Amino acid sequence: MSSPELPSLLTATASPKASAVRVAPGERLRSVRLPGITLSVRSRPPAREGLPPALYVHGLGGSSQNWSALMPLLDWLVDSEALDLPGFGDSPPPDDGDYSVTGHARAVIRYLDSAGRGPVHLLGNSLGGAITTRVAALRPDLVRTLTLVSPALPELRVQRTAVPTAMLALPGISALFTRFTKGWTAEQRVRGVTALCYGDPGRVTEEGFRNAVEEMERRLQLPYMWDALTRSARGLVDAYTLGGQHSLWRQAERVLAPTLLVYGRRDQLVGYRMAQRAARSFRDSRLVSLPDAGHVAMMEYPEAVAAAFRELLADAGRSQGGADVEHVGSTATGPGLRESAPVGSGPTGSGPVGSEPVGSGPGSGSGSGSVRVSGEGGSVSGGGSVGVADGDPVAEGPPKGSPGVGS
């Protein structure tokens, strides 16, 4: 299951106006009007002209701010944009009220088609991982690579910690939780979100916590917040029940783009056991395990995710004869990198992933099958080590560890 917010962390209290959305140093925020939807788009100027475009898609209850810690680390590799899905962040609800996974995927496709930026390096977290999987399967022409951080792909046995989120899809539950949490402060809600989403809530800085509280207070003023969250949760549960060609797992098998899978061992919302199945399903996949990370590794350990993404692009560049990608840096950093074992090196459940090699699933292509995660200061490897090199320019951004709201 996926969602960074328990239903008990929100209320339906609302007023017509909300405060302005926070924009970190170096970021820009603009509104894009398309048929049936208006999308808020967060971006950063690339370090130089001609870099390939990247698009980031957040999870249930999140916003484009969830990518603000990662984007500056990739300024020298890609031209970054992050969407607020309809009804989230600073994007108003869709005209047709469609919050299904397909509806959200349609919004992403509409934006890419209208912007003419495709194919892009597409990144998604949680619900955003399900959405971007569907986009990559349906429109391979729009996707260069796919990066999924704790993607919300169907699970038969949902973790107990994810059950309250799943209950959002049930009629009447939202009203019940609204009454129960009516007196909760924004600070209490943010602490609940952080405890649910982070492997180590202590990584959140004081400034990051204050920013998250401010965003939570802003959201609580939105008259459509609860409706967008509830319907999107229902749409995700509905997607879990689809079979045949519309099944998310079947669509994962159809993805042609090189795919990076990032899973946190302390994730309370997406079961880590699903990492092995995902590695088998995506035909050209690389799997990175972060033993100390929770559900939002790109916020908790952005350097580790950036290092893995750099390796993905380096591998893609080698397979394409070096076109469109530069191999930047030589050392990966990030305290989340503690385990040292190749993909498929141990028995199921005992290593970073189970015994199946990456790229062995249906329709397997030439997946690297050798990504591993080393100790602190070590490397993320799979055909060469890459990461955040000493001396690489990094643009100013928000403090690492900011929980955002609804990460």
Side-chain angles (χ1 to χ4, degrees):
M1 188 59 203
S2 163
S3 168
E5 291 189 86
L6 285 169
S8 57
L9 300 178
L10 299 173
T11 74
T13 56
S15 64
K17 294 183 180 180
S19 57
V21 173
R22 181 175 178 272
V23 181
E27 293 182 346
R28 301 168 183 169
L29 198 64
R30 73 182 193 279
S31 184
V32 177
R33 294 185 178 181
L34 300 170
I37 54 173
T38 298
L39 299 174
S40 180
V41 181
R42 186 178 303 265
S43 63
R44 292 184 59 85
R48 58 180 175 80
E49 294 295 326
L51 290 178
L55 185 69
Y56 308 76
V57 183
H58 62 80
L60 179 63
S63 76
S64 58
Q65 293 186 59
N66 292 26
W67 301 98
S68 289
L70 178 64
M71 288 197 295
L73 302 180
L74 304 180
D75 278 350
W76 286 80
L77 284 178
V78 294
D79 183 353
S80 293
E81 290 187 342
L83 286 181
D84 286 330
L85 291 170
F88 295 94
D90 205 34
S91 294
D95 290 353
D96 60 5
D98 185 356
Y99 289 102
S100 66
V101 170
T102 298
H104 284 309
R106 188 180 300 117
V108 173
I109 291 172
R110 282 182 187 173
Y111 173 71
L112 289 175
D113 279 339
S114 68
R117 283 171 56 86
V120 300
H121 297 289
L122 191 59
L123 298 87
N125 167 238
S126 191
L127 169 64
I131 293 166
T132 53
T133 295
R134 184 151 290 176
V135 171
L138 298 177
R139 290 291 304 275
D141 59 305
L142 294 177
V143 183
R144 297 174 187 237
T145 66
L146 180 63
T147 296
L148 305 176
V149 181
S150 294
L153 299 175
E155 301 181 47
L156 291 178
R157 293 184 296 112
V158 177
Q159 297 182 98
R160 285 181 298 175
T161 47
V163 169
T165 299
M167 291 176 63
L168 268 175
L170 300 178
I173 292 296
S174 62
L176 177 63
F177 277 109
T178 297
R179 291 195 297 271
F180 178 74
T181 64
K182 185 176 181 180
W184 287 31
T185 66
E187 289 85 353
Q188 289 174 308
R189 302 170 195 278
V190 170
R191 292 192 190 281
V193 170
T194 304
L196 182 65
C197 293
Y198 275 63
D200 177 12
R203 289 183 61 80
V204 179
T205 64
E206 291 185 8
E207 181 180 359
F209 182 79
R210 289 195 302 271
N211 292 337
V213 171
E214 179 182 316
E215 173 63 10
M216 177 63 78
E217 290 173 340
R218 187 193 72 83
R219 270 190 205 189
L220 291 172
Q221 299 175 39
L222 298 174
Y224 54 81
M225 179 200 69
W226 188 249
D227 185 60
L229 187 67
T230 302
R231 292 193 183 192
S232 292
R234 190 172 300 144
L236 183 58
V237 171
D238 289 344
Y240 276 26
T241 66
L242 294 177
Q245 63 178 345
H246 300 295
S247 161
L248 284 169
W249 284 117
R250 183 69 61 83
Q251 292 188 331
E253 295 170 3
R254 292 168 52 190
V255 171
L256 301 176
T259 302
L260 169 64
L261 302 165
V262 180
Y263 281 81
R265 291 296 294 267
R266 297 183 179 180
D267 194 331
Q268 299 181 65
L269 292 166
V270 168
Y272 176 73
R273 63 183 177 275
M274 303 308 295
Q276 184 181 0
R277 180 173 182 180
R280 294 196 304 266
S281 297
F282 290 90
R283 65 178 69 192
D284 184 5
S285 66
R286 298 133 183 87
L287 174 60
V288 174
S289 163
L290 301 182
D292 294 334
H295 189 61
V296 287
M298 74 289 186
M299 301 171 70
E300 196 172 6
Y301 294 105
E303 295 93 345
V305 176
F309 180 77
R310 288 166 184 257
E311 179 66 17
L312 172 69
L313 266 62
D315 284 350
R318 282 189 289 268
S319 66
Q320 298 168 10
D324 186 46
V325 118
E326 287 187 4
H327 191 154
V328 181
S330 60
T331 305
T333 61
L337 303 176
R338 297 187 187 277
E339 296 188 14
S340 178
V343 167
S345 65
T348 302
S350 64
V353 294
S355 58
E356 297 290 341
V358 169
S360 65
S364 295
S366 57
S368 67
S370 60
V371 176
R372 69 171 180 267
V373 183
S374 312
E376 292 189 13
S379 64
V380 178
S381 63
S385 60
V386 291
V388 183
D390 293 338
D392 277 357
V394 177
E396 183 180 5
K400 179 177 67 176
S402 169
V405 175
S407 325

